Amino acid sequence: NAGVTQTPKFRILKIGQSMTLQCTQDMNHNYMYWYRQDPGMGLKLIYYSVGAGITDKGEVPNGYNVSRSTTEDFPLRLELAAPSQTSVYFCASSPPGGPGETQYFGPGTRLLVL
Amino acid sequence: DAKTTQPPSMDCAEGRAANLPCNHSTISGNEYVYWYRQIHSQGPQYIIHGLKNNETNEMASLIITEDRKSSTLILPHATLRDTAVYYCIVRVLYGGATNKLIFGTGTLLAVQP
C-alpha cells in the first residue's frame, strides 16, 4: 500500500490564483482530513470527511473548499489565494473504529503565496 | 478535548532512554492519551495510545499516572532518527471523525550523538 499520497509537493501561487491540492489513500479508510501547519505551530484542522459525499468544516475552513466523490480521494480547493494561506498542508485518513482510529498522514504539500 | 502541557524542548544522548513528559490535568474519564511525532518536514506519525494502564509497542512505552493527570512517553534506546517533535494529545477513543486531534506545539526532542 502506498498509504496517503499528496500532490504537488511544493507550489508557488500568486495572490488571487486558485489551485487544488490532491490527496489519495489506498487503505479504504472512511475518514479523511485536511490540516494546515504554519511555521513553528501545531496542525489545525481545515475540513474533514466521514465518507464519500459527506464533508464538514474543521477549525479553520475559511478560504477553502473540499469534495469527496470517492472513498479514495479528498481534494482541497483554494480559491483566491492569499499570503495568509502560505503553509504546509497535510492530508490524513483513519479507519472508523479501528486501532484507536489512529490517523495516517501524507507527506504534505508546501504552499507559498506571493 | 483536554488541554495538554509539554516542555518545548529536550535533549537525549544517543542510546539512552528518552522520557518525554505530558501534563493533562483536566482529562476526562473517557479520554485517551495519544502520542504522535513529526520528523522534520514530514507528516505526523502515530506512536502509541492508552487509557490508564501502561502500554508498550515496538516503538515506545507509555506510562500514565494513577490519577491520569500526567503521562510519560519512553523511547528506550533513542537514536538520531528519533529526533522529532513529539505531540501529546487527549481525545475520546471512538468519537468518529469529529473527534479531532488537537496538536499543540509539542516537545522537540534532539538526540545527540
Side-chain angles (χ1 to χ4, degrees), chain A residues 31 33 35 37 40-43 45 48-50 59 90 97-108 110, chain B residues 34 36 38 40-46 49 87 91-105:
Chain A
Y31 299 162
Y33 315 80
Y35 294 88
Q37 185 175 33
M41 306 296 288
L43 282 72
L45 183 65
Y48 67 93
S49 169
V50 299
E59 303 170 83
F90 291 101
E101 292 182 335
T102 57
Q103 294 187 17
Y104 299 83
F105 286 80
R110 285 149 187 76
Chain B
Y34 283 75
Y36 281 75
Q38 187 175 23
H40 181 62
S41 299
Q42 299 181 20
Q45 175 190 24
Y46 164 80
H49 73 281
Y87 297 99
R91 66 190 283 256
V92 174
L93 182 61
Y94 293 121
T98 58
N99 182 24
K100 60 183 182 292
L101 296 176
I102 297 179
F103 289 84
T105 52

Side-chain angles (χ1 to χ4, degrees), chain B residues 70-108:
Chain B
S70 65
S71 60
T72 301
L73 178 74
I74 301 173
L75 307 179
H77 305 287
T79 70
L80 297 178
R81 288 176 293 180
D82 291 322
T83 293
V85 177
Y86 288 77
Y87 297 99
C88 170
I89 300 165
V90 295
R91 66 190 283 256
V92 174
L93 182 61
Y94 293 121
T98 58
N99 182 24
K100 60 183 182 292
L101 296 176
I102 297 179
F103 289 84
T105 52
T107 296
L108 173 59

